[in-house]
Short mmCIF file of all heavy atoms in Angstrom, two decimals:
data_model
loop_
_atom_site.label_atom_id
_atom_site.label_comp_id
_atom_site.label_asym_id
_atom_site.label_seq_id
_atom_site.Cartn_x
_atom_site.Cartn_y
_atom_site.Cartn_z
N ALA A 1 -11.74 7.66 -20.36
CA ALA A 1 -11.51 8.83 -19.48
C ALA A 1 -12.55 8.95 -18.38
O ALA A 1 -12.25 9.26 -17.20
CB ALA A 1 -11.51 10.11 -20.29
N ASP A 2 -13.84 8.55 -18.70
CA ASP A 2 -14.92 8.64 -17.71
C ASP A 2 -14.75 7.70 -16.53
O ASP A 2 -15.22 7.99 -15.44
CB ASP A 2 -16.25 8.32 -18.37
CG ASP A 2 -16.68 9.36 -19.43
OD1 ASP A 2 -16.30 10.53 -19.24
OD2 ASP A 2 -17.29 8.98 -20.40
N LEU A 3 -14.07 6.59 -16.76
CA LEU A 3 -13.94 5.56 -15.75
C LEU A 3 -12.62 5.60 -14.94
O LEU A 3 -12.45 4.94 -13.91
CB LEU A 3 -14.08 4.15 -16.33
CG LEU A 3 -15.44 3.74 -16.81
CD1 LEU A 3 -15.42 2.32 -17.44
CD2 LEU A 3 -16.49 3.78 -15.68
N ARG A 4 -11.71 6.42 -15.41
CA ARG A 4 -10.38 6.43 -14.76
C ARG A 4 -10.43 6.88 -13.33
O ARG A 4 -9.90 6.21 -12.44
CB ARG A 4 -9.39 7.24 -15.57
CG ARG A 4 -8.99 6.53 -16.85
CD ARG A 4 -7.88 7.25 -17.60
NE ARG A 4 -7.75 6.65 -18.93
CZ ARG A 4 -6.82 6.93 -19.77
NH1 ARG A 4 -5.89 7.86 -19.47
NH2 ARG A 4 -6.72 6.35 -20.96
N SER A 5 -11.07 8.03 -13.07
CA SER A 5 -11.12 8.53 -11.66
C SER A 5 -11.77 7.56 -10.72
O SER A 5 -11.21 7.25 -9.65
CB SER A 5 -11.78 9.90 -11.62
OG SER A 5 -10.93 10.88 -12.19
N PRO A 6 -12.97 7.04 -11.06
CA PRO A 6 -13.61 6.08 -10.12
C PRO A 6 -12.77 4.81 -9.90
O PRO A 6 -12.73 4.26 -8.78
CB PRO A 6 -14.95 5.74 -10.74
CG PRO A 6 -14.93 6.29 -12.16
CD PRO A 6 -13.91 7.37 -12.13
N VAL A 7 -12.11 4.30 -10.96
CA VAL A 7 -11.30 3.09 -10.82
C VAL A 7 -10.07 3.43 -9.98
O VAL A 7 -9.71 2.69 -9.05
CB VAL A 7 -10.88 2.54 -12.20
CG1 VAL A 7 -9.74 1.54 -12.07
CG2 VAL A 7 -12.06 1.91 -12.91
N TYR A 8 -9.40 4.55 -10.24
CA TYR A 8 -8.22 4.91 -9.52
C TYR A 8 -8.50 5.08 -8.04
O TYR A 8 -7.77 4.61 -7.15
CB TYR A 8 -7.59 6.22 -10.07
CG TYR A 8 -7.03 6.18 -11.47
CD1 TYR A 8 -6.66 7.35 -12.14
CD2 TYR A 8 -6.80 4.98 -12.10
CE1 TYR A 8 -6.15 7.31 -13.42
CE2 TYR A 8 -6.30 4.93 -13.39
CZ TYR A 8 -5.93 6.10 -14.03
OH TYR A 8 -5.44 6.07 -15.28
N VAL A 9 -9.60 5.77 -7.74
CA VAL A 9 -9.90 6.09 -6.32
C VAL A 9 -10.29 4.82 -5.57
O VAL A 9 -9.92 4.61 -4.41
CB VAL A 9 -11.02 7.13 -6.22
CG1 VAL A 9 -12.40 6.58 -6.41
CG2 VAL A 9 -10.95 7.90 -4.88
N THR A 10 -10.93 3.85 -6.27
CA THR A 10 -11.34 2.62 -5.63
C THR A 10 -10.13 1.74 -5.33
O THR A 10 -10.02 1.23 -4.23
CB THR A 10 -12.29 1.82 -6.60
OG1 THR A 10 -13.44 2.62 -6.82
CG2 THR A 10 -12.69 0.48 -5.98
N ILE A 11 -9.21 1.61 -6.27
CA ILE A 11 -8.06 0.73 -6.01
C ILE A 11 -7.11 1.30 -5.00
O ILE A 11 -6.46 0.63 -4.21
CB ILE A 11 -7.32 0.31 -7.32
CG1 ILE A 11 -6.72 1.56 -7.98
CG2 ILE A 11 -8.21 -0.47 -8.26
CD1 ILE A 11 -5.45 1.25 -8.69
N LEU A 12 -7.03 2.68 -4.96
CA LEU A 12 -6.18 3.32 -3.96
C LEU A 12 -6.79 3.22 -2.56
O LEU A 12 -6.05 2.93 -1.58
CB LEU A 12 -5.98 4.81 -4.30
CG LEU A 12 -4.92 5.08 -5.37
CD1 LEU A 12 -5.10 6.50 -5.92
CD2 LEU A 12 -3.52 4.94 -4.80
N LYS A 13 -8.09 3.45 -2.45
CA LYS A 13 -8.76 3.38 -1.13
C LYS A 13 -8.54 2.04 -0.48
O LYS A 13 -8.43 1.94 0.73
CB LYS A 13 -10.25 3.65 -1.31
CG LYS A 13 -11.10 3.75 -0.04
CD LYS A 13 -10.74 5.03 0.75
CE LYS A 13 -11.57 5.17 1.98
NZ LYS A 13 -11.20 6.36 2.79
N HIS A 14 -8.51 0.97 -1.26
CA HIS A 14 -8.35 -0.37 -0.74
C HIS A 14 -6.99 -1.00 -1.17
O HIS A 14 -6.89 -2.23 -1.28
CB HIS A 14 -9.53 -1.24 -1.21
CG HIS A 14 -10.88 -0.61 -0.95
ND1 HIS A 14 -11.47 -0.66 0.30
CD2 HIS A 14 -11.73 0.12 -1.74
CE1 HIS A 14 -12.59 0.04 0.27
NE2 HIS A 14 -12.78 0.50 -0.95
N GLY A 15 -6.04 -0.11 -1.39
CA GLY A 15 -4.77 -0.57 -1.94
C GLY A 15 -3.63 -0.53 -0.91
O GLY A 15 -3.84 -0.20 0.26
N ASP A 16 -2.43 -0.87 -1.38
CA ASP A 16 -1.22 -0.92 -0.52
C ASP A 16 -0.11 -0.14 -1.17
O ASP A 16 -0.32 0.63 -2.12
CB ASP A 16 -0.83 -2.36 -0.25
CG ASP A 16 -0.63 -3.17 -1.56
OD1 ASP A 16 -0.50 -2.56 -2.63
OD2 ASP A 16 -0.67 -4.43 -1.49
N SER A 17 1.17 -0.32 -0.71
CA SER A 17 2.30 0.43 -1.22
C SER A 17 2.49 0.12 -2.70
O SER A 17 2.89 1.00 -3.49
CB SER A 17 3.55 0.09 -0.41
OG SER A 17 3.83 -1.28 -0.46
N THR A 18 2.23 -1.11 -3.13
CA THR A 18 2.41 -1.48 -4.54
C THR A 18 1.42 -0.67 -5.42
O THR A 18 1.77 -0.20 -6.49
CB THR A 18 2.13 -2.99 -4.78
OG1 THR A 18 2.99 -3.71 -3.86
CG2 THR A 18 2.46 -3.39 -6.18
N THR A 19 0.17 -0.56 -4.91
CA THR A 19 -0.86 0.22 -5.64
C THR A 19 -0.42 1.66 -5.81
O THR A 19 -0.49 2.23 -6.92
CB THR A 19 -2.20 0.21 -4.93
OG1 THR A 19 -2.47 -1.13 -4.46
CG2 THR A 19 -3.34 0.69 -5.78
N LEU A 20 0.09 2.26 -4.72
CA LEU A 20 0.52 3.66 -4.76
C LEU A 20 1.69 3.83 -5.73
O LEU A 20 1.72 4.77 -6.52
CB LEU A 20 0.91 4.15 -3.36
CG LEU A 20 1.36 5.61 -3.30
CD1 LEU A 20 0.33 6.57 -3.80
CD2 LEU A 20 1.78 5.99 -1.85
N ASP A 21 2.66 2.93 -5.67
CA ASP A 21 3.80 2.96 -6.56
C ASP A 21 3.39 2.89 -7.99
O ASP A 21 3.92 3.60 -8.88
CB ASP A 21 4.84 1.84 -6.25
CG ASP A 21 5.57 2.07 -4.93
OD1 ASP A 21 5.51 3.23 -4.43
OD2 ASP A 21 6.11 1.12 -4.38
N THR A 22 2.38 2.05 -8.28
CA THR A 22 1.88 1.91 -9.67
C THR A 22 1.25 3.19 -10.12
O THR A 22 1.46 3.65 -11.23
CB THR A 22 0.84 0.73 -9.72
OG1 THR A 22 1.43 -0.44 -9.27
CG2 THR A 22 0.39 0.54 -11.16
N MET A 23 0.45 3.85 -9.23
CA MET A 23 -0.17 5.12 -9.59
C MET A 23 0.86 6.23 -9.82
O MET A 23 0.72 7.06 -10.71
CB MET A 23 -1.19 5.54 -8.48
CG MET A 23 -2.41 4.68 -8.39
SD MET A 23 -3.37 4.55 -9.93
CE MET A 23 -3.74 6.23 -10.29
N LEU A 24 1.91 6.27 -8.99
CA LEU A 24 2.96 7.26 -9.17
C LEU A 24 3.74 7.02 -10.48
O LEU A 24 4.14 7.97 -11.14
CB LEU A 24 3.92 7.23 -7.97
CG LEU A 24 3.31 7.71 -6.62
CD1 LEU A 24 4.30 7.51 -5.47
CD2 LEU A 24 2.89 9.17 -6.70
N LYS A 25 3.88 5.75 -10.85
CA LYS A 25 4.51 5.41 -12.12
C LYS A 25 3.66 5.89 -13.27
O LYS A 25 4.13 6.45 -14.25
CB LYS A 25 4.74 3.90 -12.18
CG LYS A 25 5.45 3.41 -13.42
CD LYS A 25 5.62 1.91 -13.33
CE LYS A 25 5.91 1.28 -14.69
NZ LYS A 25 5.82 -0.16 -14.70
N LEU A 26 2.32 5.65 -13.16
CA LEU A 26 1.38 6.12 -14.17
C LEU A 26 1.47 7.66 -14.35
O LEU A 26 1.41 8.17 -15.45
CB LEU A 26 -0.07 5.73 -13.81
CG LEU A 26 -0.71 4.50 -14.37
CD1 LEU A 26 -2.18 4.41 -13.93
CD2 LEU A 26 -0.62 4.46 -15.87
N HIS A 27 1.59 8.35 -13.19
CA HIS A 27 1.67 9.80 -13.21
C HIS A 27 2.93 10.23 -13.96
O HIS A 27 2.91 11.15 -14.81
CB HIS A 27 1.74 10.30 -11.74
CG HIS A 27 1.80 11.80 -11.66
ND1 HIS A 27 3.00 12.49 -11.71
CD2 HIS A 27 0.84 12.73 -11.49
CE1 HIS A 27 2.75 13.80 -11.58
NE2 HIS A 27 1.50 13.96 -11.46
N LYS A 28 4.04 9.56 -13.67
CA LYS A 28 5.35 9.92 -14.34
C LYS A 28 5.28 9.69 -15.83
O LYS A 28 5.78 10.51 -16.61
CB LYS A 28 6.42 9.06 -13.71
CG LYS A 28 7.83 9.63 -13.88
CD LYS A 28 8.84 8.68 -13.15
CE LYS A 28 10.17 9.34 -13.04
NZ LYS A 28 10.25 10.47 -12.09
N GLN A 29 4.57 8.63 -16.26
CA GLN A 29 4.51 8.23 -17.66
C GLN A 29 3.46 9.02 -18.45
O GLN A 29 3.53 9.08 -19.68
CB GLN A 29 4.20 6.76 -17.78
CG GLN A 29 5.33 5.84 -17.32
CD GLN A 29 4.87 4.34 -17.29
OE1 GLN A 29 3.71 4.07 -17.35
NE2 GLN A 29 5.87 3.46 -17.12
N ALA A 30 2.52 9.64 -17.77
CA ALA A 30 1.44 10.33 -18.44
C ALA A 30 1.95 11.50 -19.28
O ALA A 30 2.73 12.31 -18.81
CB ALA A 30 0.44 10.88 -17.40
#
């Protein structure tokens, strides 16, 4: 739990549409 926010923000900041889609999928599945 401690590492999720820093990892998520890092990959999104330097990510693309695939990264965003993956995060939205994670959100839906949570």
Side-chain angles (χ1 to χ4, degrees):
D2 294 328
L3 289 179
R4 288 186 190 187
S5 288
V7 167
Y8 293 168
V9 82
T10 299
I11 62 147
L12 278 163
K13 185 73 178 175
H14 308 281
D16 53 18
S17 58
T18 307
T19 315
L20 181 58
D21 288 343
T22 303
M23 289 305 302
L24 292 174
K25 183 179 161 192
L26 263 185
H27 181 275
K28 202 178 192 69
Q29 291 172 345

